[in-house]
Each structure stands twice: as structure tokens, then as C-alpha cells.
Amino acid sequence: MSVRYDVAIVGGGIVGLATAFRLLERRPKLRLVLLEKEHQLLLHQSTHNSGVVHAGLYYAVGSRKARLCRDGKAELERFAAEHGIPIERCGKLVVAVDRAEAPGLEALAKRATANGVPGLELVGPERIAEIEPHVAGVAGLLSPTTAIVDFGAVGHAYADEVRARGGDILLACRVDAIERRAAGAGEELLLRWADGEVRAGAVISCAGLWSDRVAAMTGHAGHERVVPFRGDYLRLRPEARRLVRALIYPVNDPRFPFLGIHLTRRMDGEVWAGPNAALAFAREGYRRTDIVPRELAETLADRGFLRLAFRFWQAGAAEMVRDVWKPAFAAQVRRYLPELRDEDLEPGPSGVRAQSVRLNGELVDDFSIGGSGRILHVRNAPSPAATASLAIGRELAELAERRFDLG
Ligand SMILES: Cc1cc2nc3c(=O)[nH]c(=O)nc-3n(C[C@H](O)[C@H](O)[C@H](O)COP(=O)(O)OP(=O)(O)OC[C@H]3O[C@@H](n4cnc5c(N)ncnc54)[C@H](O)[C@@H]3O)c2cc1C
């Protein structure tokens, strides 16, 4: 007979781990298991990202993203201080390179103000030169509280909390079926993987790039599909790092949830340029040459993706050019950092974003959580979900307490 838990969480990324931590914090007696398909925790989005603790500039006012990013940043800063994880409030500058971009920057400043981002400053060229001496722009928006952190260290600290509070974390368990079964007067769920199974009173899925697949296992397929967008980074050579003090971003295109190729100083002193946003040819396709024909065919046959591709083919084609041709990538950065030369950039790592797309071709903008009965699915948790992880975890824990009888 398999072991029975009150709650099973699928996915050992930063969102699953934060949710497990928040649940055990509220319910110390809860029997909880977290199932991760890899041999290690935190191998996907949670450790393949820009490492930026976002202040919440971009998100639609009143959205889950806006609220949970603001709350999550404060909760993360507290958690990091309590656990000795370094976090650096280096600040971020968004740069309008010409007059045509100034309205976009002003609209961003308005939105950021409405979202309650503290300390914002709209600046001109002189102040830009003080903040980032090598940046060229006609105007800028400074967010002094934006920070950087190592999200891997944060995620492992969540895992330590889960284990210390009696939660079980099982690795190498790729859940491939979730079945409902009668149990006494009620129901329980059986989660199976290749060589094992557990029973649980309730399930919370935080499966990132596979969230739609896990949702389909419980009959919650819905009309949203995950489209994997690869983002490559290039590293600045050590001699070129002097060009960047902190975080430098272009004015974003509000039609897309991606923020444009930016420059990010990392906790270890490296500076990365990126990420771009090209279609990945596999859900975990970190390299251009990683192709899983079945996964690619599914994406290309998906009506939502086709509508998206048809609407934005020009932007998509430009991204694919930047993807294969370094000078085009470098030219994008040179718009606001003119001294950067092609040879200052070396190959760097990549990440793959789990971005949900609706049947009508719209990119799902907000964090989305669905499910019914004793099952909850995190369906869309792209950036800034690492920043917001503790707040997302708290929200899921509250929802679980309301929906499931946790005893
Ligand atoms: C390029 C890039 C840059 C980003 N930059 C930032 C940033 O600067 N700041 C920020 O806040 N956010 C950023 N993000 C977003 C952030 O990294 C993600 O939103 C966050 O990591 C999502 O966490 P997650 O736990 O949902 O997903 P993941 O980290 O992908 O974890 C999901 C886990 O579920 C597991 N899993 C999947 N299916 C199963 C199954 N069937 N059985 C068992 N386990 C399963 C996977 O193996 C994985 O470990 C960025 C993302 C990318 C890709």
C-alpha cells in the first residue's frame, strides 16, 4: 500500500518549494510530499533566469502579477535577511534611446507609480550619465529598489525549510498519472510515476514548462497551452564589465510579456546581456540544436500558437535573426550602450520560459491558477514568479486551506 499524504505538490522549482514552505509554516502537522522529476531540485526556470528581484514596474494595475510581485519582493527580502542570503539593491535604469521611445517610458512610469513602486525617478541625460556613465539615452526611469539575488540559493533555502518542518521531498519522480479514487466516505488522489506512487488528499501542481500536461492528467486541460520561449544570454568579457554598474533595460514593447534584451549584473560580478525570446524546439530545449520532433510538432500544430505567430511574424522573425546572428544581438544592446563591441560578448547560458498561450493566440499575461475539487494547478507563472514566489506560495496555501479540508 502506498504512503498517504495530506497534500502532494508536483514540481520542485521555486514556486513548488515556496508553496510547500508556506503550507508547512501555516500547518505544522500537515503530511506533505513534493515530487520532482529530476535528480536535483531547481534545474529549470528557477535557476536559468536573470536573477532580478523585480520591483513591479510593468504589470497591469490590479493584476495578480502586480500584487504578488510587490508583496513577494518584500517577503523575499525578509526571508533572505533571516537566512543569510545576500541580496543587493543595485537599482535599475530603463532607457529611452530617442524621442520616439519617450511616450513608452512615460507610460511605464505611470504604471509603475500606480503599482506603488517606491523611489521612482524620471531622469534626463545628465542624471543618466551619473547613474550609468556609459549609457546613451534621452530619458530614463530609475527604480532604485530593484535588486539582484541568486534564486538557486533562495530555492534551496526553501527546500531546507520544508525538510526541517517534516515535509518529504522525493526526487526522480516524474508524475505521469493522477487518478481519483474513492477513500472511505470521500475521495483521494493517486499520483504515479515509473516505479512508484503516493496517495494524497489534495494535489497542487507547480510544474512550470509541463503545467498544461499535468493539468491534462486531472482533466483540467483547458484552452491554454505552454509555448516554450528560449532566452539566450551572452556574457560580457571581464574587461567590458566596467561598462555596466547595475541593471540596464530598454523600453519594453507592451504587446509582449518579455522585457527586451537587458544588461544584468549578477551576484558573482558577471554581467549578462539577454535574454532574447525565440521559439524553443523542445520544452527543455536550452540549445538551438535541442529538438524533440513530437514536442515541436505539437507546438506548430497548436491553433493558439499559429494565431500568435501569424499576428507577430515580424517581431518573431527579428528574434530568430538575433538568435542565430550575434552582431544583430549586439546591435540591440548598442542602442543604449554604444561602446559595446561585438567581441565584448561571449556565449552564455540560456533559459526556457513557460509561457501560456490561449486558443485565440493571446499570450496569457497574468499569473494563472486553476483547478477544481481537491486539485490546484499553477498554469502560468512566468517572470516575475521567482521574485513573487513566497507570495504565490502564500496565496496557494490560503486557497488550499479554503478549498481542501486539511484537518
Ligand atoms: C530566461 C528567463 C529569465 C527570467 N528572469 C527572471 C527574473 O529576473 N526575475 C524573476 O522574478 N523571474 C524571472 N524569470 C521567471 C522565473 O524564473 C520563473 O517564473 C520561475 O522560476 C518559475 O518557477 P516554477 O517553479 O514555476 O518553474 P520551474 O523552475 O520550471 O520548476 C518546475 C519544476 O517542475 C518539475 N516538473 C515538471 N513536470 C513534472 C512532473 N510531471 N513530475 C514531477 N516534476 C515535474 C520540473 O522538473 C521543474 O523542476 C525568468 C525566466 C526565464 C526563463
Side-chain angles (χ1 to χ4, degrees), residues 1-2 24 30 47 61 107 144 148 167 187 249 265 297 355 369 378 407:
M1 188 65 147
S2 49
L24 288 168
L30 197 73
T47 46
V61 179
I148 53 174
E187 189 184 69
Y249 282 62
R265 185 164 284 279
Q355 173 61 52
I369 296 169
V378 175

Side-chain angles (χ1 to χ4, degrees), residues 11 13-15 36-37 45-46 49-50 52 173 175 207 233 381-382 385 387:
I14 204 163
V15 173
E36 165 56 48
K37 69 180 168 67
Q45 296 176 92
S46 302
N49 59 44
S50 297
V52 175
C173 301
V175 174
Y233 294 92
T387 302

Side-chain angles (χ1 to χ4, degrees), residues 9-17 34-38 40-54 59 69 76 147 151 170 172-177 192-193 205-211 213-214 217 229-233 249 259 262 264 266 274-276 284 286 350-354 367 378 380-389 392:
I9 292 179
V10 181
I14 204 163
V15 173
L17 288 163
L34 182 146
L35 303 166
E36 165 56 48
K37 69 180 168 67
E38 305 289 354
Q40 286 173 42
L41 294 170
L42 298 155
L43 274 193
H44 293 290
Q45 296 176 92
S46 302
T47 46
H48 290 80
N49 59 44
S50 297
V52 175
V53 182
H54 288 289
Y59 317 118
C69 181
L76 177 61
F151 282 119
L170 306 186
C173 301
R174 180 193 300 268
V175 174
D176 52 30
R192 290 184 196 275
W193 57 95
S205 164
C206 308
L209 285 152
W210 302 92
S211 56
R213 293 282 180 85
V214 178
M217 289 177 203
F229 285 97
R230 181 168 42 79
D232 292 332
Y233 294 92
Y249 282 62
L259 303 181
H262 44 269
T264 315
R266 313 271 308 170
N276 58 349
E284 290 164 6
Y286 289 95
S350 302
V352 183
R353 307 170 181 87
F367 295 149
V378 175
N380 193 55
S383 186
T387 302
S389 50
I392 298 174

Side-chain angles (χ1 to χ4, degrees), residues 235-245 265 268-271:
R235 286 192 174 93
L236 265 65
R237 296 183 109 86
E239 314 81 77
R241 289 181 195 158
R242 63 176 182 87
L243 299 176
V244 179
R245 281 190 180 160
R265 185 164 284 279
D268 60 8
E270 285 198 351
V271 177

